[in-house]
Amino acid sequence: MGHRTKPSRRHQLSYATPEKYRLIITHPDHQRPAYFSSNDLARARAVARRNAANGAHVDFQVNQGWGVYETTRTYTPENTP
């Protein structure tokens, strides 16, 4: 086997904890969805409610580990009179 060198500082692996909550926000007038992630549950819920009130479809996802997210709730756009 060949000799493996240590990765340089520029190419080191990241061991940072991923965000626990992720939102996929889809506005009807945009082509691509927007993503929001946070470790704060209250802030994630507030952002989801605010975007749903503005007419966006929001998928609320929770990190299950190893880059796997599970959709736990879907916020649908609120009807405005």
Side-chain angles (χ1 to χ4, degrees), residues 19-74:
E19 302 293 332
K20 187 164 184 175
Y21 306 104
R22 179 171 73 178
L23 304 177
I24 301 175
I25 305 164
T26 308
H27 288 279
D29 54 341
H30 292 94
Q31 290 182 344
R32 292 189 196 177
Y35 293 92
F36 175 81
S37 59
S38 176
N39 281 328
D40 186 6
L41 177 60
R43 183 171 181 220
R45 285 182 178 166
V47 169
R49 285 191 305 265
R50 183 172 50 240
N51 281 287
N54 289 335
H57 177 85
V58 181
D59 289 328
F60 192 92
Q61 298 181 335
V62 177
N63 189 354
Q64 300 298 319
W66 296 99
V68 176
Y69 285 87
E70 178 185 0
T71 301
T72 58
R73 183 160 182 197
T74 301

Side-chain angles (χ1 to χ4, degrees), residues 6-26:
K6 223 165 57 168
S8 68
R9 280 187 170 262
R10 289 179 48 191
H11 301 289
Q12 285 190 356
L13 298 174
S14 172
Y15 295 106
T17 304
E19 302 293 332
K20 187 164 184 175
Y21 306 104
R22 179 171 73 178
L23 304 177
I24 301 175
I25 305 164
T26 308

